Amino acid sequence: MHAMVLEAAGTPLKPVTRDTPAPGPGEVLVKVAACGVCRTDLHIVDGDLSEAKLPIIPGHEIVGHVHAVGAGVDRFAAGERVGIPWLGHTCGRCDYCRTDRENLCDAPGFTGYQIDGGYADYALADARFCFSLPADYSDAEAAPLLCAGLIGHRALKMAGEGTHLGIYGFGAAAHIVAQVARHQARKVYAFTRPGDIAAQDFALGLGAVWAGGSDEPAPLELDAAIIFAPVGALVPAALRAIRKGGIVVCGGIHMTDIPAFPYDILWGERSVRSVANLTRRDAVEFLALAPAVPVKVRVETFPLSDANTALARLRDGRLTGAAVLLPDRA
Ligand SMILES: [Zn+2]
Ligand SMILES: [Zn+2]
């Protein structure tokens, strides 16, 4: 099999050829058809996240077809299309796993972080953490649903029921969340990098009622805000934009330090919280919701061998929608 491998943080991914693994008990071997490029991959490659198994094959928005199943797998048959998300393994025994909060498991395994992921033409996965995918989406379109979509869905649930929703950072997750929020009759206010007119136009095209730079004040008091950009300074900015009782949800796995801020912008029962990982229930819910909205996924595709280019474009904010890797033609 071919793969793009991270050997050390801060270095480019390297192309490698390895023997294709065989699935062990409970595992499926999936022939990868598409793999999304998530900002978390960038944080792993850049070394912002320090718990990667190295060398690691990144990628946790994997769409593919079951090539072989290990002993005891009856959820999927050969040929079936499945998705493999970030949550690749949980212990099943810790307090979090036993109380329906497997996203917070004390001994998890994450795809593309501790478990080799989808920047490859084959991937192994624990069948219990794989999902059937809605037929409405092509392989490339389905890939971003598996993290941008799932985490966005979880973040939107945490933002509460309010009508006026701010979204800071208008990339892959935001472009999906905005469509779901609009479907729920909410109004979306999109905050982008100052001067990023392309991202603002993209947000308005997806139904945002307002779009502007993150240095601009919101046009009215927001009920809640979700921050997808990895910029800690947006936390006090979002707190200043929300009304009393409002919620700021931090949707990323890594953020730069949050600057000190006066207590009075938190006062009034405002709250700040993070979203961590996903549960399998989030996946089942969202993969049913997406085609019902219906969420339209905008992707830019790259050949697997150009994974470093896709990551560079994401780092520089030069993507509209979600980047997706497709296997190189043989
Ligand atoms: Zn656990
Ligand atoms: Zn992700």
Side-chain angles (χ1 to χ4, degrees):
M1 61 178 255
H2 299 287
M4 295 295 286
V5 172
L6 177 70
E7 291 182 346
T11 65
L13 303 182
K14 278 194 192 162
V16 300
T17 304
R18 289 183 184 171
D19 291 340
T20 304
E27 289 182 333
V28 286
L29 176 67
V30 171
K31 188 169 195 321
V32 178
C35 184
V37 176
C38 175
R39 183 166 290 281
T40 298
D41 303 342
L42 197 54
H43 291 313
I44 293 167
V45 170
D46 289 347
D48 297 323
L49 299 175
S50 58
E51 290 171 45
K53 166 190 87 80
L54 292 173
I56 186 78
I57 301 171
H60 57 270
E61 298 178 311
I62 306 169
V63 175
H65 296 268
V66 174
H67 188 73
V69 299
V73 174
D74 52 14
R75 280 191 74 187
F76 302 109
E80 227 175 308
R81 187 168 82 147
V82 296
I84 306 173
W86 170 247
L87 188 72
H89 176 77
T90 57
C91 78
R93 291 183 301 274
C94 73
D95 184 49
Y96 299 105
C97 283
R98 285 188 289 106
T99 54
D100 247 353
R101 293 177 290 169
E102 65 181 0
N103 60 308
L104 302 177
C105 175
D106 281 331
F110 295 117
T111 310
Y113 192 28
Q114 289 92 27
I115 302 167
D116 279 329
Y119 286 21
D121 47 14
Y122 288 90
L124 270 183
D126 183 330
R128 297 169 302 169
F129 293 84
C130 299
F131 297 93
S132 296
L133 296 169
D136 317 51
Y137 295 93
S138 70
D139 296 331
E141 291 166 344
L145 300 177
L146 287 160
C147 185
L150 297 187
I151 299 290
H153 172 65
R154 191 170 175 86
L156 185 57
K157 285 194 293 182
M158 286 184 173
E161 303 286 317
T163 301
H164 300 284
L165 175 73
I167 300 181
Y168 288 77
F170 212 85
H175 101 282
I176 293 173
V177 168
Q179 296 175 60
V180 177
R182 187 181 175 206
H183 175 71
Q184 296 169 337
R186 304 189 200 223
K187 298 200 182 322
V188 171
Y189 302 79
F191 297 84
T192 70
R193 293 183 201 217
D196 191 347
I197 304 300
Q200 291 166 17
D201 286 345
F202 183 45
L204 294 169
L206 290 171
V209 296
W210 178 92
S214 59
D215 55 345
E216 295 176 45
L220 48 68
E221 277 194 319
L222 304 174
D223 296 307
I226 303 174
I227 303 174
F228 290 116
V231 179
L234 294 174
V235 172
L239 278 170
R240 286 192 165 92
I242 60 171
R243 63 189 298 167
K244 286 183 283 190
I247 304 167
V248 173
V249 181
C250 300
I253 190 169
H254 170 80
M255 201 177 233
T256 54
D257 285 354
I258 301 169
F261 55 83
Y263 179 58
D264 67 357
I265 65 173
L266 182 62
W267 173 249
E269 301 195 344
R270 293 173 179 86
S271 57
V272 178
R273 64 175 305 173
S274 62
V275 166
N277 314 316
L278 66 133
T279 66
R280 283 173 280 182
R281 181 182 300 169
D282 295 325
V284 170
E285 280 174 12
F286 180 71
L287 292 171
L289 176 63
V293 167
V295 170
K296 302 281 185 209
V297 183
R298 170 111 165 237
V299 299
E300 267 188 67
T301 60
F302 298 81
L304 173 62
S305 52
D306 279 349
N308 288 309
T309 306
L311 288 165
R313 293 268 300 275
L314 179 59
R315 187 185 289 110
D316 297 343
R318 288 186 293 123
L319 283 171
T320 302
V324 175
L325 303 177
L326 301 177
D328 294 86
R329 286 172 207 275

